[in-house]
Each structure stands twice: as C-alpha cells, then as structure tokens.
Amino acid sequence: LPFRAKRLGVEVVLYQNFADFFPFYKKVSYIHDVLFLTHPQFYTWKERLYFAPLKFLTHCSDFVITVSESEKKRLIVTNYASSEKIDVVYHGVNAIFKPLEEHKSEIINKVIKQYKLPEKFILFVGRLNVRKNVEKLIYAFKLIKADIPLVIVGQTDWKSHDYKKLVDKLELQEKVFFL
C-alpha cells in the first residue's frame, strides 16, 4: 500500500489501527480502543500479540482519531498518542437506519414475521462476548422489570457466557429472545 499510494501521489491515508512507517504521505490512524491493555483477560494471547505493534505504529502516524472522549483519554494516558495529535470522531449511522414509519409497511411486516418479533422491544446488536457486557445487560433487564421484551442479535465469540442459561436462571425466557 505505501508504495502504491506514493506512486499515485496520495497525500493522506487513513488506517484502521496499524499505520505504516514510510514517510511518503500523511497518515491518520483510526483506533477504536486499546481495551486489550486495560482488560487483557478479555483477549487471547494471539489477539494481544496481534496488537503488540500498535503503539509503535501509532507513533508513526501524523494524527489519531478514536470513537469517544474516554478512549481518547486512555490513548493519551497509555502514551499511544499525544493530546495534540488525537481527536474524537463519533461513529455515524447509515442512512438505511431511519424511523420505523419511514419504511414500507410490507417490508416491516416481512421482517416481523421472519424473525417472530414482538410489536415493541429493546434491541441489542453486537458480538456476544464478555467485552460487550451482555451478561450485565440481562441482569439489568431483570432489575427494571420492564413490560417489554429484550431481543439480542449477535454471534457468540470465543470468550462468552452461556447467556441462554443465565436467562433461564433469571426466569426471563418470556422476555429475552436471541436471534
């Protein structure tokens, strides 16, 4: 990539996590988080090894962006970036996500029927692993005693709780659904 970008006269390259160390153009690193530093127990040794060069390569960047003020602080405190070279760029939302009433009713009905969705529900979408804190979400759902179901959508990762067992233990089978 660096040599092709140089040949094309590219002025800036945006990298997810790992920038290169060639001085051909400006580099911006987009780092979602460095949770592997503060919570290594949530990562395999292979994942931690994968992230090992991140600090060095981040220092090769001209600028760093991250997803939140708290992550910005973590990157500064851990010396991954200086306060002058980092800023927050919040995640955007794709235009296909819009209020329900702006979708065609036949599409809404098809999705409701296909996934057997209740009329109203609280939705969680994400990987089902300990880093996403789904276990605490289920416990919290039990505490709020809401009269609305929780629909959980996502794929189980390597380090995950048995969420269905937890739902059974908390007697939430009628209120928590997995897709």
Side-chain angles (χ1 to χ4, degrees):
L1 175 66
F3 300 104
R4 179 155 184 132
K6 180 183 178 190
R7 199 169 42 250
L8 292 171
V10 170
E11 294 179 29
V12 179
V13 175
L14 174 65
Y15 288 91
Q16 181 172 324
N17 292 329
F18 304 103
D20 65 61
F21 46 82
F22 295 99
F24 305 146
Y25 42 76
K26 298 284 185 191
K27 294 175 281 295
V28 176
S29 291
Y30 185 61
I31 301 175
H32 286 87
D33 64 61
V34 288
L35 197 63
F36 61 91
L37 290 174
T38 55
H39 296 79
Q41 69 274 21
F42 297 153
Y43 293 82
T44 65
W45 68 269
K46 287 181 182 178
E47 288 173 316
R48 292 191 309 270
L49 181 63
Y50 170 78
F51 286 116
L54 184 60
K55 188 173 195 174
F56 168 75
L57 292 172
T58 300
H59 285 287
C60 294
S61 295
D62 297 288
F63 201 75
V64 176
I65 55 177
T66 192
V67 298
S68 68
E69 289 294 332
S70 61
E71 199 55 43
K72 176 181 175 179
K73 287 176 188 167
R74 188 185 342 234
L75 286 162
I76 292 168
V77 166
T78 56
N79 197 29
Y80 272 65
S82 66
S83 58
E84 307 82 41
K85 288 178 53 173
I86 186 168
D87 211 344
V88 174
V89 176
Y90 298 103
H91 285 165
V93 178
N94 191 305
I96 65 167
F97 298 104
K98 52 191 169 192
L100 193 60
E101 57 274 0
E102 292 182 26
H103 289 276
K104 295 180 181 174
S105 60
E106 56 270 10
I107 293 174
I108 295 169
N109 292 332
K110 179 182 175 187
V111 170
I112 288 171
K113 184 177 177 182
Q114 180 178 351
Y115 295 105
K116 300 177 180 91
L117 294 171
E119 184 179 332
K120 291 183 176 185
F121 55 91
I122 296 171
L123 178 66
F124 169 87
V125 179
R127 292 187 305 179
L128 302 181
N129 66 29
V130 293
R131 296 190 298 242
K132 302 298 181 185
N133 222 354
V134 177
E135 180 182 29
K136 295 290 187 220
L137 172 64
I138 294 170
Y139 275 113
F141 196 75
K142 173 74 173 181
L143 293 174
I144 63 170
K145 300 183 187 321
D147 194 27
I148 186 168
L150 171 64
V151 175
I152 298 174
V153 179
Q155 184 175 4
T156 303
D157 266 3
W158 71 274
K159 187 140 181 154
S160 179
H161 295 287
D162 187 342
Y163 301 114
K164 291 181 182 177
K165 190 175 182 178
L166 177 61
V167 166
D168 290 343
K169 175 185 161 189
L170 297 176
E171 299 177 351
L172 291 171
Q173 302 90 333
E174 300 299 315
K175 291 193 162 215
V176 178
F177 304 95
F178 294 89
L179 297 180

